[in-house]
Amino acid sequence: MSTDDQGHEGSNVWEDFQKGYVPEDDLDIHPSLDLHEEYTKDIDTVTYEVLRHRLWTVNEEHGQTLENVSGSPVAYFGQDFNPTLMTHDGEVVFNGPYVQLFSPIAELQVKWILENRSDNPGIEPGDVFISNDPWVGSTHQPDVFFVAPIFVDGELFCWIANTLHQYDIGGQSAGSFVPSADDVFDESTPIPPIKAVENGEVRKDVKQMYQRHSRMPDMVGLDFNAQVAGLQVTQEQIDELIDEYGAQTVKGVMDRIIEDSETKFLEKLRELPDGTWRAREYMEGSKTGDDDLYVAELQLEKDGDTLTFRNKGSAENEGSMNLTYAGFRTAISCVVNPMLLYDQLWVTSGAYRHIDINTDPGTLNRAEYPSGVSCGGTLSIELSIALIYDVMTRMLSASDETREDIITDPLAGLIVLSQAGMDQWGNPFGTMNLDVMGTGFGARTDKDGIDVGGILFSPKGPLPNIENNEQDYPMLYLYRRESQDSAGHGEYRGGGGMDSCFIPHNTEAIQTVVAGNGGVTPNTRGIAAYPGAPIRSRTVDDSDILEQFENQEIPDDIEEVNGDMETYPPKAEFVQGALDVMETRSPGTAGYGDPLERDPEKVLEDVKEEIISEEVATDIYGVVFDADDGEQTVNEQATENRREEIIETRLAESTIPAEE
């Protein structure tokens, strides 16, 4: 604790900025701020259910306002945002059904504001705070939070917030992903919470300062307006609920929603044995030009009613690959929510009452200031999610009651393309290519994953149509398709990823920043199965694509294009010229169970659908086919022999560890 010049004891601001804000159990709030803490406990079931659904609907309409007002493709295609409703002290009542990374971090923003802004400049009705500081609470700087208090009779009743990924808010690379950063000073400037709206009026000085950082100030200005509008609409609706039902009843429903979430979480935990589970993944390069591997370790201990996460053995924070405490904390919700709270979806605050995070400062997933973190929201956080899935699936496997809840790691890696230049009309453009949404969906214990099923922690995030991308940006697609042999092989296979191939159109070049991980080592392991295929980005430079067009040919594989092939590392920056053909591959996800246990008829179906190749069917699944009048069928005896052969090879190549 530190004492400011008014004698108030608040959090040590500079220590928060250095190591990351970790709130204590008792928030140190200035006594001049009155909190609305009273609520009704005895609420009848009908009133509770009506109000619970009303609050959910209010929060969902908050998200729809963001989508409708913002002009950003990140909002209306990727739906890379989330609205949040919280209690007076920052516990999350409802997340929105959008990107789940954001809402648990909003809790940290609120708690930090309470401790550090309650005296100077104060927290008043009509205020909105803006922040994107990863050491306060953000996955990375492009994820910008707008946070507003709601008062009742002079007392702070609750908080509402929204987070939206802004395309460009500064830094040395267009799009604000800076994989070449040595530290945060090469990136967008982190903004601790400041008042962007005061007494209901937008502060022009703050908005202009904010837009001044961006290469696309008009787009950022629209997003600013959208986020303020979302808060205004939501506040009006919360005020109406309070007028109709009374503040204590509404507050009582909020409290019960969180308590129900906590109860369900504890019921699941008590079905599991105590124990410790471990996982290891790798970050590929700390920055552009670095081809080293950096280890990320995770230990999950279950002890009674508590889950404890540690990261002993993780590499030190270097370059741009890093994630702050806030990012790691919110990654946990992306796994806890679908695995342990699917019947209380979007309410993870009850679970956080029983989660301890004891990670080591100065590591790649607990970065200290001034480490580079602009790629954390797309690299390190996904790596952390993969680690958490790894340990969680193993923990759930330890109980018959919870094994059926397993979804294999749904994120084998992530490849983000930030693109900028002059569009087909001669105007500056910038965008985040959202083909990234075309990833596979993990396998279950009794069914296959979903090919190009999307990102599990972004349930409403759609894949933009090719026509929309071609209309809005200077690009022409050659193909976009499911990627063969990308699904993790198993008794139940994972979901396959997607290949996307395009050229610049009516422009001389496109500046491209690749920010990815999972290209050399897949970030998913599965359960006794194969991982999904890794990400990949490659180009054929100075190609003959125009000659092929003139011959009325459109290649359906980049291998059919002549020119200089170059495959890029997961972190790269380059210029795609007018004749350069680019292909990206989104990852597949892991399988479940031994592929030799897979029904041969399902393998045949996958071959016919071109999900897997015949070579993979024979070499990995051990299924042999006959051609009967041109129709493939399973040769049952040859399949049995082939599977026995694979088992014998496994045994011959296996070794027994020496006794210590």
Side-chain angles (χ1 to χ4, degrees):
M1 294 294 173
S2 64
T3 303
D4 62 23
D5 54 10
Q6 280 79 38
H8 171 56
E9 290 187 352
S11 66
N12 188 324
V13 175
W14 297 111
E15 185 174 327
D16 292 346
F17 290 164
Q18 179 73 18
K19 295 184 178 180
Y21 175 59
V22 183
E24 298 181 358
D25 291 337
D26 296 321
L27 297 177
D28 191 9
I29 304 172
H30 195 272
S32 63
L33 180 65
D34 294 325
L35 304 180
H36 185 287
E37 300 180 293
E38 295 184 0
Y39 62 91
T40 301
K41 292 185 178 181
D42 297 325
I43 300 174
D44 66 88
T45 302
V46 172
T47 301
Y48 172 70
E49 290 297 334
V50 168
L51 263 177
R52 183 171 72 92
H53 284 82
R54 288 277 296 274
L55 289 170
W56 165 261
T57 301
V58 166
N59 198 54
E60 168 68 336
E61 188 168 336
H62 186 167
Q64 292 171 359
T65 302
L66 292 176
E67 180 181 356
N68 292 334
V69 177
S70 171
S72 168
V74 176
Y76 61 77
F77 282 140
Q79 300 200 350
D80 195 350
F81 59 80
N82 213 356
T84 309
L85 172 64
M86 291 166 282
T87 62
H88 62 276
D89 57 355
E91 279 199 291
V92 175
V93 178
F94 276 127
N95 305 343
Y98 304 94
V99 175
Q100 297 303 295
L101 305 174
F102 299 148
S103 290
I105 286 188
E107 176 182 334
L108 296 182
Q109 293 278 358
V110 165
K111 292 179 185 297
W112 195 95
I113 292 169
L114 285 168
E115 289 203 300
N116 295 282
R117 298 291 187 255
S118 56
D119 175 39
N120 183 359
I123 302 171
E124 304 290 344
D127 286 348
V128 174
F129 293 86
I130 181 176
S131 173
N132 71 341
D133 193 319
W135 285 273
V136 172
S138 182
T139 56
H140 60 165
Q141 298 95 314
D143 292 335
V144 183
F145 287 75
F146 281 61
V147 187
I150 294 179
F151 284 78
V152 173
D153 297 329
E155 296 181 330
L156 201 165
F157 177 79
C158 70
W159 292 84
I160 53 178
N162 58 57
T163 318
L164 174 60
H165 181 104
Q166 309 279 2
Y167 166 69
D168 184 283
I169 55 168
Q172 66 182 20
S173 298
S176 300
F177 292 97
V178 190
S180 61
D182 290 318
D183 53 41
V184 73
F185 300 112
D186 292 329
E187 303 176 337
S188 311
T189 300
I191 303 172
I194 60 174
K195 285 190 183 183
V197 178
E198 194 166 17
N199 195 29
E201 294 290 330
V202 173
R203 289 187 52 174
K204 291 183 179 179
D205 56 347
V206 173
K207 184 177 181 182
Q208 289 172 354
M209 177 274 295
Y210 179 68
Q211 290 180 270
R212 186 68 166 167
H213 291 175
S214 177
R215 296 168 178 84
M216 306 289 290
D218 291 340
M219 181 183 293
V220 165
L222 284 172
D223 287 340
F224 186 107
N225 295 341
Q227 293 187 256
V228 171
L231 294 173
Q232 291 175 336
V233 168
T234 304
Q235 177 160 356
E236 291 172 2
Q237 294 183 335
I238 294 292
D239 288 342
E240 290 174 3
L241 284 179
I242 291 171
D243 290 342
E244 184 176 353
Y245 289 91
Q248 292 193 22
T249 298
V250 175
K251 179 62 68 70
V253 171
M254 291 180 175
D255 182 77
R256 184 169 162 186
I257 288 169
I258 297 173
E259 285 189 351
D260 286 351
S261 169
E262 181 181 18
T263 299
K264 291 293 185 180
F265 180 73
L266 290 176
E267 287 175 359
K268 288 289 186 182
L269 278 194
R270 290 165 185 168
E271 294 174 346
L272 294 162
D274 290 349
T276 301
W277 293 266
R278 298 174 176 84
R280 175 186 295 166
E281 307 285 357
Y282 295 92
M283 175 64 70
E284 299 160 356
S286 65
K287 56 178 293 185
T288 301
D290 178 9
D291 58 3
D292 287 344
L293 291 178
Y294 296 84
V295 66
E297 301 266 8
L298 184 65
Q299 302 86 36
L300 169 61
E301 179 184 358
K302 190 265 180 181
D303 183 10
D305 290 346
T306 302
L307 294 181
T308 301
F309 292 86
R310 298 183 175 88
N311 71 336
K312 297 293 182 184
S314 292
E316 295 182 1
N317 44 215
E318 294 185 34
S320 65
M321 66 180 178
N322 311 294
L323 187 69
T324 64
Y325 168 85
F328 182 83
R329 183 182 186 274
T330 201
I332 294 171
S333 70
C334 295
V335 185
V336 167
N337 210 336
M339 300 280 260
L340 293 174
L341 281 172
Y342 48 80
D343 51 0
Q344 294 289 310
L345 210 53
W346 326 123
V347 188
T348 53
S349 47
Y352 276 108
R353 293 176 176 178
H354 300 273
I355 291 174
D356 288 337
I357 302 170
N358 295 325
T359 48
D360 294 337
T363 51
L364 66 84
N365 43 19
R366 180 74 184 274
E368 289 188 305
Y369 187 86
S371 299
V373 292
S374 64
C375 295
T378 56
L379 300 184
S380 298
I381 196 163
E382 278 76 10
L383 179 67
S384 296
I385 290 171
L387 282 164
I388 296 164
Y389 262 104
D390 215 348
V391 293
M392 290 282 286
T393 53
R394 282 158 175 71
M395 182 180 72
L396 294 176
S397 295
S399 169
D400 291 337
E401 286 76 16
T402 57
R403 191 172 295 117
E404 65 181 15
D405 297 333
I406 288 173
I407 305 172
T408 61
D409 308 356
L411 202 63
L414 194 64
I415 182 168
V416 174
L417 296 183
S418 181
Q419 298 177 302
M422 303 300 290
D423 66 18
Q424 56 268 53
W425 298 286
N427 301 314
F429 87 95
T431 187
M432 187 171 74
N433 188 311
L434 293 170
D435 288 348
V436 64
M437 306 301 292
T439 65
F441 200 88
R444 305 293 300 273
T445 58
D446 59 350
K447 64 183 67 174
D448 292 342
I450 302 173
D451 302 314
V452 195
I455 299 175
L456 182 58
F457 62 75
S458 181
K460 293 192 74 172
L463 182 66
N465 292 323
I466 285 176
E467 292 80 6
N468 291 114
N469 281 350
E470 291 179 334
Q471 171 182 294
D472 292 341
Y473 307 112
M475 56 195 308
L476 179 67
Y477 279 83
L478 304 184
Y479 55 83
R480 196 166 73 177
R481 65 187 181 201
E482 295 179 1
S483 180
Q484 190 177 50
D485 292 335
S486 63
H489 311 302
E491 180 179 5
Y492 297 100
R493 62 169 180 80
M498 186 182 77
D499 293 328
S500 177
C501 186
F502 58 89
I503 61 171
H505 183 59
N506 285 343
T507 191
E508 293 183 0
I510 297 176
Q511 300 173 27
T512 301
V513 176
V514 178
N517 195 57
V520 180
T521 59
N523 290 338
T524 61
R525 296 291 180 267
I527 301 292
Y530 280 65
I535 64 168
R536 183 177 63 196
S537 59
R538 54 184 179 169
T539 60
V540 175
D541 298 336
D542 296 322
S543 74
D544 66 342
I545 189 63
L546 295 185
E547 288 88 343
Q548 294 200 36
F549 287 170
E550 289 175 359
N551 294 328
Q552 299 185 8
E553 298 174 354
I554 300 178
D556 58 9
D557 194 299
I558 195 171
E559 301 282 355
E560 299 174 3
V561 180
N562 297 313
D564 299 323
M565 176 78 77
E566 181 168 0
T567 300
Y568 293 93
K571 299 173 183 66
E573 298 182 53
F574 58 91
V575 174
Q576 182 186 3
L579 297 179
D580 299 345
V581 178
M582 183 168 187
E583 183 196 66
T584 63
R585 180 175 65 195
S586 299
T589 48
Y592 182 91
D594 191 336
L596 296 184
E597 298 295 327
R598 185 166 177 79
D599 183 345
E601 293 296 332
K602 288 186 176 180
V603 177
L604 174 59
E605 181 179 343
D606 285 346
V607 170
K608 290 180 177 179
E609 295 291 330
E610 298 184 351
I611 295 169
I612 66 172
S613 63
E614 189 168 339
E615 180 182 14
V616 164
T618 302
D619 292 347
I620 295 178
Y621 289 95
V623 178
V624 181
F625 305 111
D626 286 333
D628 186 8
D629 294 331
E631 180 73 18
Q632 280 185 314
T633 59
V634 174
N635 185 319
E636 295 183 2
Q637 185 59 54
T639 295
E640 181 179 344
N641 295 341
R642 175 60 182 150
R643 288 184 165 182
E644 289 178 357
E645 179 184 347
I646 293 174
I647 292 172
E648 291 174 0
T649 300
R650 289 179 182 176
L651 293 172
E653 294 176 349
S654 64
T655 58
I656 300 175
E659 295 184 5
E660 296 182 358

